[in-house]
Amino acid sequence: MATVNAGVVVLDCAEPEKLAEFYKGLLGAEETEVTANRVEIEGPRGFRMAFRRDVNATPPSWPRPENSLQVHLDFVVTELDEAERAIVGLGGRPVEAKDPAGPYEERGFSDPAGHSFTVRLAVAPTAPKQG
């Protein structure tokens, strides 16, 4: 028998309402719970996230080491360029610059509060990640 029945990924941030809007747009999610200090959303496939108010939240600095990766989200997409346009349109920003000469199976971004995440193609990579 499982001890835990369900889980929610919770990100601390200064403005949970704004961060929830970003992820609602990215995931096609709906709000399921809203309080003064927390907003919870659920995507169409049951993926749940919450955003908790912490006025002292410090965004991670990844890929710089001083306040490095605190949590990392990984989202599967079918088309990287389309996903990148949507992310930037919602207020996210790229955090990795890749040489445009070749295709890449994943791209790194940060949400409007500075949390890092990766979007990757739905196909399995053909070679191990280097570095």
Side-chain angles (χ1 to χ4, degrees):
M1 181 174 170
T3 302
V4 176
N5 293 325
V8 177
V9 175
V10 180
L11 299 178
D12 291 345
C13 58
E15 300 178 274
E17 301 83 6
K18 286 185 179 180
L19 198 53
E21 286 300 315
F22 173 81
Y23 282 102
K24 281 171 37 181
L26 182 64
L27 301 170
E30 299 290 330
E31 288 182 359
T32 57
E33 179 186 329
V34 179
T35 67
N37 290 310
R38 180 180 161 112
V39 179
E40 187 171 317
I41 64 172
E42 184 173 343
R45 293 182 144 186
F47 181 69
R48 294 169 50 202
M49 293 183 75
F51 312 95
R52 185 180 69 91
R53 188 178 317 279
D54 178 353
V55 295
N56 297 314
T58 304
S61 61
W62 181 83
R64 297 182 321 272
E66 58 271 7
N67 184 22
S68 195
L69 193 62
Q70 297 170 359
V71 67
H72 179 82
L73 302 171
D74 193 30
F75 298 108
V76 177
V77 300
T78 56
E79 211 288 310
L80 287 170
D81 290 336
E82 181 180 318
E84 182 167 352
R85 285 190 295 275
I87 290 163
V88 171
L90 290 164
R93 64 182 175 80
V95 295
E96 290 183 341
K98 299 284 189 183
D99 180 355
Y104 292 90
E105 289 126 353
E106 64 180 40
R107 294 182 190 167
F109 297 90
S110 68
D111 66 27
H115 302 102
S116 61
F117 64 93
T118 299
V119 294
R120 63 181 175 85
L121 291 177
V123 295
T126 57
K129 184 175 180 179
Q130 301 295 314

